[in-house]
Amino acid sequence: MRAIFPFVLALILLLPLSADAQFGPIVPEVCRTCACGFGGVLAIVQNVVNFMISISIIFATIIMVWAGGLYILSAANPESRSTANKMLLNAVIGILIVLSAWLIVDFVMKTLYNNGSEFGPWNSILLGGVGDSCVVAKPTSPLFSGNIIAVPGQGSGAGVGGDVVTSASASHQAGAAKLSAAGISISSSGNCADKRNARCTSLDGMKENTVDQAIAVKQACGCSVVVTGGTETGHAGGPTSHSAGYKIDLGVNTQLDAYIRSLTPSGARGSDSRYKDRCGNEYVRETSPNHWDITVSAGVCSPPK
């Protein structure tokens, strides 16, 4: 009998591997790539139940084999026959209890859940649908849509409360793509975008609010808009200057002139006419060459009036 013990021990150690090969892994494949949902958790419970039942069948088989060995040796030891009878009886009763409990619970679940209309493999009722196997991330949506508008009198506009509304800076490529998508072109005497060259028109380092305000003007007037000046060198300095990203120059045309002149007049800067939108951004008609100098220090104002 002692020779049987190493075999039994090896069989016990190999049970998880044999069960995995025979009945599949405990954790479903789908739950290895995503967080298990309700169906996935139930699938794991089902696999554990199947695994435990498989182990009980294997142990019952081992006990029966052991009892058979005792029967063989019963001629030399009469007490072995009685022990073998008890082992066989207990193994058979145990496996019947396990399988009966499994079958009864499965039958009741299928009867209540499927109204008795569908019967399949034991325990399959625990499986959820494919969509229940993983926890699916819900799509996110912004809290609101549209533009942020600075309201005069709330300290958010440079012409009202003295504060300057800041925003992130964009690269020339990103700013140019955004303007192009809105139907706004960029022009320079040097046909270039190097901010170190005064003959170029560069958007490198321009505030996103400044780019967005040019688009807001385009949408409001419904006219042609061409950017003729940005963050390139050659402009006057200051905290809200071209180089700081708060200014943008737009080429003049009849429709654009009429629209900007319909904004609120704000005196003059030298001989140049000055206007402000309802948020406090400043529009100055400059010469040499003729263009509109727009300072976007109060945030995006859409529509400007």
Side-chain angles (χ1 to χ4, degrees):
M1 290 298 294
R2 291 181 180 178
I4 300 178
F5 289 136
F7 170 76
V8 173
L9 180 60
L11 186 60
I12 293 175
L13 294 176
L14 291 175
L15 273 177
L17 296 178
S18 62
D20 183 81
Q22 183 69 26
F23 302 100
I26 296 297
V27 178
E29 187 67 29
V30 66
C31 289
R32 299 184 183 185
T33 56
C34 67
C36 265
F38 182 70
V41 172
L42 290 184
I44 293 176
V45 173
Q46 173 182 315
N47 292 340
V48 170
V49 172
N50 291 342
F51 178 69
M52 297 303 296
I53 291 176
S54 303
I55 290 179
S56 66
I57 294 175
I58 294 174
F59 271 111
T61 303
I62 294 174
I63 292 174
M64 290 179 182
V65 171
W66 198 334
L70 292 178
Y71 269 118
I72 295 174
L73 299 175
S74 62
N77 186 3
E79 293 183 1
S80 298
R81 183 182 297 273
S82 175
T83 302
N85 287 336
K86 292 180 181 179
M87 291 177 65
L88 283 174
L89 181 61
N90 290 336
V92 171
I93 292 175
I95 198 66
L96 286 177
I97 290 175
V98 170
L99 295 180
S100 297
W102 186 19
L103 181 60
I104 290 171
V105 172
D106 183 69
F107 177 81
V108 171
M109 288 177 64
K110 286 180 178 176
T111 301
L112 296 177
Y113 189 79
N114 285 337
N115 200 24
S117 61
E118 243 181 81
F119 292 93
W122 287 1
N123 217 26
S124 63
I125 191 64
L126 288 178
L127 287 177
V130 176
D132 298 327
S133 297
C134 290
V135 176
V136 180
K138 295 182 178 179
T140 59
S141 58
L143 295 176
F144 63 91
S145 60
N147 297 314
I148 299 176
I149 299 175
V151 180
Q154 302 300 317
S156 59
V160 180
D163 298 330
V164 174
V165 178
T166 61
S167 64
S169 300
S171 65
H172 177 83
Q173 291 77 8
K178 199 170 187 179
L179 291 175
S180 178
I184 299 175
S185 59
I186 302 174
S187 174
S188 68
S189 59
N191 194 27
C192 52
D194 185 359
K195 67 184 302 183
R196 297 166 297 182
N197 188 338
R199 299 181 67 247
C200 299
T201 298
S202 176
L203 306 181
D204 190 20
M206 182 174 287
K207 300 297 184 183
E208 291 181 358
N209 281 351
T210 307
V211 175
D212 290 341
Q213 188 59 35
I215 296 173
V217 170
K218 160 75 174 176
Q219 293 172 342
C221 76
C223 56
S224 173
V225 172
V226 178
V227 176
T228 60
T231 57
E232 66 279 352
T233 186
H235 299 281
T240 56
S241 62
H242 280 273
S243 59
Y246 289 93
K247 284 180 176 286
I248 189 169
D249 291 344
L250 303 183
V252 299
N253 62 61
T254 303
Q255 288 180 298
L256 180 61
D257 288 356
Y259 177 77
I260 294 179
R261 292 184 190 279
S262 68
L263 300 178
T264 304
S266 182
R269 188 174 65 186
S271 60
D272 301 323
S273 301
R274 185 168 59 176
Y275 302 86
K276 285 190 177 182
D277 59 27
R278 61 190 180 87
C279 302
N281 296 315
E282 187 177 75
Y283 303 73
V284 179
R285 181 66 148 77
E286 294 185 344
T287 57
S288 299
N290 290 329
H291 65 276
W292 284 102
D293 178 90
I294 302 176
T295 305
V296 186
S297 57
V300 181
C301 197
S302 178
K305 62 177 182 179

